[in-house]
Amino acid sequence: MQRWGLPENKLPAGTVVLFHTPTLFEQFRAEVLTAGGMILFQTLLLFTLIVQFHQRRVAEQKGARGDHRTGAANRMTSMGEMTATIAHEVNQPLAAIVANASAAQRWLDRASPNIAEARTELSRIAVDGHRAAEVISTVRSMFADRSGDRSTVDLAEVTQNILLLAAGELTAVSVVLKSDIRIGLPAVLGDRVQLHQVVLNLVLNAIEAMHLVPGAGRVLAVALAAQGQQIVLTVGDSGPGISTENQSRMFDTFFTTKPKGMGMGLSICRTIMAAHGGELTVAESGPGDTLMRCAWPAKSAGFGGAVA
Ligand code: ADP
């Protein structure tokens, strides 16, 4: 069959093929699929870690200057920078993996598969996978000492900061802000920069959702209060709402319905909330009424003072 270039799938039904030589993929199917799965997993992990690292670095640089307004405003526009960083870091090994995988496939798909060439391509894929793994371990080591960043955080202050920053944007897109932020609430223990990120993300998502509905009647409702042993923040908007189907996917990495969205915001927010022993959920959603809810365990000490 090999000599006459007869492909196996063209044989009449019921034909018995003797002395069939299994292809590399048939022989090592589990190994090839495992390697592919690992590379995909490592790539996703790499994306998430680089985004988190970059957001944190931008926030730290701005925070060091003590200029909260500029800091968060820049975080708002950091998506473009982040994209460039990620593209730069992972584009090369990714492109090589894809090219080598296609080459290996072509070698295997030939009427007489060239096992040696396919093997070479697979080992190149493994080398690129290791290269990606090295980058991941470097990024991970940068995150190793994050526990040192924990401090008591006043969520009222964090929320007020973000609303102050968003004020210009709210006016520009005719959104009325209704805020009910209790002062003197118990503190939460956490990473101030990350908590700013969570609130900022929810507020920006709410504003962006309202771009989809007519200007009149756009309302952003932000409330912060204690509920039992928890501090609860709700961010409501009068946007189009979130379909039941999207509600089950919106926290997934890379899920987005926006033409220029990255779909990373909510998945990062949820990871941050989990790391703080809290949770992030959709409390309600229907046309003109979406309410996102964050709940943190309260630390016993209260902040008593006024918010910024
Ligand atoms: P991105 O903003 O880049 O799309 P996110 O992870 O922040 O990424 O959001 C994922 C998706 O969740 C959005 O694309 C949108 O479809 C949906 N979403 C998030 N917040 C809201 C909201 N307040 N109203 C309607 N849909 C929302």
Side-chain angles (χ1 to χ4, degrees), residues 188-216:
V188 299
L189 191 63
D191 182 321
R192 185 180 302 272
V193 173
Q194 290 187 341
L195 294 177
H196 268 98
Q197 256 172 263
V198 172
V199 182
L200 176 63
N201 231 297
L202 295 180
V203 168
L204 287 182
N205 272 346
I207 296 174
E208 281 172 9
M210 288 187 283
H211 286 173
L212 303 171
V213 296

Side-chain angles (χ1 to χ4, degrees), residues 23 40 87 100 110 119 157 190:
T23 63
L40 191 66
N100 291 333
R110 284 160 71 119
R119 217 182 268 278
E157 189 191 332

Side-chain angles (χ1 to χ4, degrees), residues 161-196:
N161 281 346
I162 297 300
L163 292 180
L164 212 63
L165 289 164
E169 173 74 4
L170 291 174
T171 316
V173 294
S174 315
V175 172
V176 174
L177 171 65
K178 290 187 179 167
S179 74
D180 178 10
I181 297 169
R182 304 288 160 86
I183 56 170
L185 294 172
V188 299
L189 191 63
D191 182 321
R192 185 180 302 272
V193 173
Q194 290 187 341
L195 294 177
H196 268 98

Side-chain angles (χ1 to χ4, degrees), residues 89-212:
E89 297 283 342
V90 297
N91 211 20
Q92 218 191 338
L94 261 188
I97 285 169
V98 172
N100 291 333
S102 324
Q105 223 160 13
R106 279 197 302 275
W107 288 120
L108 294 175
D109 283 347
R110 284 160 71 119
S112 42
N114 191 326
I115 308 290
E117 290 291 354
R119 217 182 268 278
T120 310
E121 300 298 346
L122 284 177
S123 59
R124 285 184 187 145
I125 290 177
V127 169
D128 280 317
H130 285 304
R131 198 142 54 101
E134 268 172 39
V135 181
I136 291 168
S137 65
T138 311
V139 178
R140 194 182 281 145
S141 67
M142 292 174 188
F143 280 91
D145 196 21
R146 287 199 64 77
S147 56
D149 296 329
R150 300 239 151 181
S151 59
T152 48
V153 180
D154 181 358
L155 284 170
E157 189 191 332
V158 168
T159 311
Q160 294 280 27
N161 281 346
I162 297 300
L163 292 180
L164 212 63
L165 289 164
E169 173 74 4
L170 291 174
T171 316
V173 294
S174 315
V175 172
V176 174
L177 171 65
K178 290 187 179 167
S179 74
D180 178 10
I181 297 169
R182 304 288 160 86
I183 56 170
L185 294 172
V188 299
L189 191 63
D191 182 321
R192 185 180 302 272
V193 173
Q194 290 187 341
L195 294 177
H196 268 98
Q197 256 172 263
V198 172
V199 182
L200 176 63
N201 231 297
L202 295 180
V203 168
L204 287 182
N205 272 346
I207 296 174
E208 281 172 9
M210 288 187 283
H211 286 173
L212 303 171

Side-chain angles (χ1 to χ4, degrees), residues 248-281:
S248 61
R249 298 160 65 203
M250 63 196 278
F251 294 99
D252 294 348
T253 312
F254 303 129
F255 174 78
T256 183
T257 53
K258 300 172 191 169
K260 291 186 180 166
M262 284 183 70
M264 304 210 58
L266 287 179
S267 84
I268 292 174
C269 287
R270 206 170 233 191
T271 308
I272 293 175
M273 290 302 293
H276 284 77
E279 55 183 20
L280 168 60
T281 51

